[in-house]
Amino acid sequence: MFDDHDEIHPLFAGAPSTTEFKKLRKRIVRYAREAIEQYGMVERPADGSTPRWLVCLSGGKDSYTLLAVLYELKWRGLLPVDLLACNLDQGQPGFPATVLPEFLEKKGVPNRIEYQDTYSIVMDKVPEGRTFCALCSRLRRGNLYRVAREEGCTAVVLGHHRDDILETFFMNLFHGGRLATMPPKLVNEEGDLFVYRPLAHVAEADCEKFARAMNYPIIPCDLCGSQDGLQRQQVKQILDGWEKNSPGRRQVMFRALMNARPSHLLDPKLFDFQGLALNFDKIEENSGEIPRLR
């Protein structure tokens, strides 16, 4: 079934026929479907129309995997949404502007290529020696929200995977002084768009294996990749070390993010510690005495 070209979307044309690849593909699709269902990502508009998603395609391994998986689910009738792929060309020098349009047209994927020179803004505004990521991300997100509105989309869909979520958690822990990460589903600040991350349960290594096996035309991000010593790179190295010493550690930590216990943390906004009270009836039953509270 997986290798019958009459039964799959053109995005999978040329897919390896090995058992290993079939298992990889099924695993990624299964995890994405679980996340979509678990976090209620298919929201029906009030007018009963079909939801439309803006699938953000950077040209990296993660966004190619995201696009392929969503089309896999839609192809099999498991994702009742319309998909519009979108690439934001941010004006980086040397960016291969023809790669994604040609790829999407060849694969028959509806798309919108948007050009906005945010690169020049970032280079002008960010002081020398500072990282570009924060400003670059804000400008990119703002433009993608605008495109989503113009195209009548209900959601912006991003290719962040499990390891991105873990790294963001530890960056907030080490540098931000808070327990927070990128959620699989949120509403933007304006309240008019959902933001989804269907690959939330998928390992980065699986995205890499999948994109390499499919021979997708990967486009590196030279803007962020040109800077050394980024906090995210440092966190990634720490997690790599833990994973090397204890295989499976990443998945254990990810499960912890899905198993929070506010009563065992220290945030009084999440749990009413002052409202805790002893059960004096139980105390009397167990000891016959009621202790004095000082």
Side-chain angles (χ1 to χ4, degrees), residues 261-275:
R261 298 185 180 183
S263 64
H264 287 58
L265 297 173
L266 283 76
D267 191 341
K269 297 187 295 297
L270 296 180
F271 187 80
D272 184 13
F273 292 99
Q274 293 194 17

Side-chain angles (χ1 to χ4, degrees), residues 10-195:
L11 273 169
F12 290 97
S17 59
T18 64
T19 300
E20 181 182 4
F21 179 80
K22 291 179 182 179
K23 289 181 178 179
L24 170 66
R25 179 178 168 189
K26 290 179 180 178
R27 179 167 66 248
I28 294 174
V29 171
R30 183 177 73 251
Y31 284 162
R33 185 183 180 189
E34 286 177 358
I36 289 170
E37 293 179 352
Q38 183 173 8
Y39 297 103
M41 294 184 188
V42 180
E43 301 280 350
R44 285 286 181 183
D47 61 5
S49 60
T50 301
R52 196 177 197 208
W53 289 4
L54 188 76
V55 183
C56 301
L57 191 66
S58 67
K61 65 183 188 308
D62 308 327
S63 62
Y64 277 119
T65 301
L66 171 69
L67 185 68
V69 167
L70 293 181
Y71 266 98
E72 167 84 5
L73 292 170
K74 181 176 174 62
W75 191 260
R76 300 190 182 281
L78 301 174
L79 186 63
V81 303
D82 291 333
L83 302 174
L84 177 67
C86 177
N87 172 251
L88 178 63
D89 181 345
Q90 297 179 265
Q92 292 176 222
F95 181 78
T98 62
V99 170
L100 284 171
E102 291 176 356
F103 172 82
L104 294 169
E105 292 300 326
K106 179 180 178 181
K107 300 298 184 180
V109 176
N111 66 89
R112 173 168 168 176
I113 307 299
E114 180 76 6
Y115 178 82
Q116 291 291 329
D117 185 7
T118 64
Y119 174 84
S120 297
I121 299 175
V122 171
M123 298 303 292
D124 179 61
K125 298 295 184 182
V126 177
E128 185 176 353
R130 300 292 296 274
T131 59
F132 305 134
C133 295
L135 179 58
C136 180
S137 177
R138 286 199 300 272
L139 293 172
R140 181 173 63 250
R141 193 68 57 87
N143 278 290
L144 291 172
Y145 287 168
R146 173 182 55 79
V147 171
R149 295 182 185 107
E150 292 173 357
E151 295 290 346
C153 295
T154 55
V156 172
V157 188
L158 306 174
H160 295 126
H161 45 64
R162 181 200 70 180
D163 297 72
D164 288 325
I165 292 173
L166 271 178
E167 289 162 14
T168 300
F169 172 79
F170 281 102
M171 286 175 65
N172 281 317
L173 178 67
F174 295 155
H175 304 288
R178 60 183 178 272
L179 297 181
T181 188
M182 299 183 295
K185 175 183 179 181
L186 61 84
V187 175
N188 67 337
E189 292 182 0
E190 293 81 2
D192 64 338
L193 288 169
F194 285 109
V195 177

